[in-house]
Amino acid sequence: MPQRHRSVRTLSVLLLSGAMLHGVNAWAKPAKPEAPVAEASAVGPVDDHPVLREIAAQVDPAQLHATIEKLVSFGTRHTLSDTTSPDRGIGAARAWVKSRFEAISKDCGGCLTVVTPAQTVSGKRVPTPTEVMDVVAVLKGTEEPQRVILIAGHLDSRVTDVMNATADAPGANDDASGVAAAIEAARVLSHHKFRATLVFAALSGEEQGLLGGKVLADYAKEQGWQVEADLNNDIVGNTQGEDGVVDNTHIRVFSEGTKAVETVKQANQRRYSGGEVDSPSRNLARYMDSIATRYLDNFSVRMVYRTDRFGRGGDQVPFLEAGFPAVRVTEAHENYTRQHQDLRTEGGVRYGDTIDGVDFPYLAQVTRLNALTMASLAWAPAPLSDVKVEGALRHDTTLSWTKVPGAVGYRAWWRDTLAPSWQHDRWAGDATTVTLPNIVIDDWFFGVAAVSKDGYASPVVYPGPAGSFVAMPDPAGP
């Protein structure tokens, strides 16, 4: 849901480009044509939704605090820790999360199905065969249940030695914060019905090799889920870095630029025609950015053009490797003295991932962003799967697509090739093609979104395999 009239939000860009108002292209050369102005009677359904503001207001920092406090109380949640104790270890933590999902389901009349997909694994960080179990709550969609929008955090925790399964490892921020966000999103969203299915997951085994992410990605494929978005929330509650700087107004969203499952032939096509910055995951990040801009006060997305932080990984990776769009959501300013550390004080510095390092009003904002993104996606039509663009040797560009269920119309978008977000749009109505006069295909990137009668829009889909939210065959030709 890009903003059609979106202002520049940082001083540096403002000084370089002047005011970016009414879709003016801040990166374009003066001679470049501006976007044609659509007539007021042909702009499509209104895309402002009071119910999303109501959902945001229902997110409760006290609920988030209670969840993290409970998870910390289990001492350690290491993947290799005790699975039989009722009050310590990963087994007790999983049982509590399952009971919490079941309580939420009871409050909504049994609307959630709680499942525990698991695999027995072994490897470098799992020396003996160990069951890795996820705890998952499913809110089934009313019209397109095979479409899935998913939020996840990882339940397991660790200290300095990744193999130490007995020492206290509170894991308040890494990643009880992400699990708390998923549980709170389930609590709030379970009182609504959605066109598509919502999934809320607490994963295990992340610290031992992204194991729980693979368990759930495999389960999704076995169930025939069409995962349109995996929002992996990992380390989302801290606002103060080791340097003392506090950033409580931004969240980073990491997204891959080119698909992990891209074929050699598709890569050759992309290198020539473009699409390096328009994977479905990247356009999912743009969607989250637009949600934050419209619905959250003093809180914005900082899009990072990487799959994850440098040299690190997260549970979104197994989803990407399975061909599903996925992003990593992480706080703006990490504090490494609170990650993967034994509990200690050394040189006057306190180390360890304890609950006092979590900023709960900030975590509530992160949770709101996730919940609103999930709701908007689930109320919108599915992303288009066969967008095409033509215009070589012409002054006009033509986009075409196949209709999807639940859409009353389609919106074409385009932006300068250096612009991070979609800038201009044209409402196409209930058509399968639109021609953009005097918009030269060589100078812009293009995409199309499907729009419901209530104005909920799918993410913008870039043409061809590079931008498709579902797997596509290799392009024809040599």
Side-chain angles (χ1 to χ4, degrees), residues 375-404:
S376 183
L377 288 168
W379 275 323
L384 300 169
S385 60
D386 63 343
V387 179
K388 299 180 178 64
V389 62
E390 297 176 326
L393 301 174
R394 300 193 337 236
H395 287 288
D396 303 337
T397 296
T398 298
L399 288 156
S400 61
W401 56 89
T402 300
K403 293 182 179 182
V404 294

Side-chain angles (χ1 to χ4, degrees), residues 42-53:
V43 296
V46 175
D47 59 355
D48 187 76
H49 307 289
V51 67
L52 294 183
R53 292 185 175 86

Side-chain angles (χ1 to χ4, degrees), residues 36 39 64 78 82 92 115 139 156 162 178 184 198 203 316 326-327 336 368 471:
E39 296 179 5
L64 295 164
H78 193 284
D82 196 329
V115 295
L139 179 60
D156 57 305
V162 71
E184 180 65 356
L198 299 184
L203 310 178
Q316 78 279 8
V327 296
Y336 304 115
R368 291 180 185 112

